[in-house]
Amino acid sequence: MYRIGELAKEANVSKRTIDYYTQLGILTPERSDSNYRFYSDEAVETLHLVAQYKELNIPLLEIKEKVELFHTNRVEQEKVLKYTQALSKRMEYLETELKDMKPMLESLSEEQQKSVMSKMSTQSMTLAKLLMVLFT
């Protein structure tokens, strides 16, 4: 966490600029019990982003919208990444389960295999057949 002077130095801007961006809502500090403003690492990133947009002569109100969109998309990306990682772990678990199941299926007679397959959903049966091919 940065105090306003530390943030100004880190981002190479003035304290006055930080105050102005805070008033516009581009930066959002956290307040301490003693009412000091503290800024996160995200504020440094935001100030660098603002500087890039300013170089393109984009007005500050439009920059504010772009910064909000950037942070919203990043949050969504993080959610998607977490979900993807959880899904990947589940798939690894299922793959292990299916590998363990393969010898059991192979030990069944052809008639027993058909009986088991008939009780599976179409997607499960397709997946099982595919995995049987892959693991042989």
Side-chain angles (χ1 to χ4, degrees):
M1 298 297 278
Y2 300 90
R3 290 181 62 177
I4 191 168
E6 297 167 329
L7 178 62
K9 185 176 180 180
E10 182 71 25
N12 198 28
V13 296
S14 69
K15 292 181 195 178
R16 192 169 174 207
T17 298
I18 293 172
D19 282 334
Y20 185 57
Y21 291 170
T22 301
Q23 287 173 353
L24 290 177
I26 294 173
L27 294 173
T28 308
E30 294 181 27
R31 294 277 181 177
S32 70
D33 292 339
S34 53
N35 210 27
Y36 285 108
R37 289 179 289 175
F38 286 95
Y39 296 87
S40 66
D41 289 330
E42 187 177 283
V44 176
E45 183 179 308
T46 298
L47 288 169
H48 290 297
L49 194 59
V50 169
Q52 290 173 356
Y53 287 133
K54 283 180 72 178
E55 286 179 15
L56 299 172
N57 296 317
I58 297 174
L60 277 176
L61 293 178
E62 192 176 328
I63 289 173
K64 178 184 177 189
E65 291 172 5
K66 291 183 178 297
V67 166
E68 288 170 352
L69 184 62
F70 173 81
H71 289 299
T72 300
N73 285 341
R74 194 177 74 198
V75 168
E76 292 303 317
Q77 288 173 354
E78 289 172 4
K79 286 181 186 176
V80 169
L81 180 61
K82 285 180 184 177
Y83 181 79
T84 303
Q85 289 170 338
L87 186 59
S88 180
K89 285 181 182 179
R90 282 192 233 149
M91 289 176 70
E92 287 174 14
Y93 172 77
L94 288 174
E95 185 179 332
T96 301
E97 289 291 308
L98 287 167
K99 282 181 184 177
D100 292 344
M101 193 174 113
K102 183 184 177 206
M104 289 186 276
L105 282 174
E106 289 175 342
S107 70
L108 299 176
S109 70
E110 192 173 319
E111 188 175 303
Q112 290 170 322
Q113 287 180 13
K114 286 180 183 178
S115 174
V116 169
M117 295 290 211
S118 70
K119 294 176 183 155
M120 298 172 75
S121 70
T122 306
Q123 293 92 349
S124 297
M125 188 169 34
T126 303
L127 180 60
K129 285 180 181 178
L130 177 63
L131 291 170
M132 293 291 283
V133 169
L134 289 174
F135 296 135
T136 44

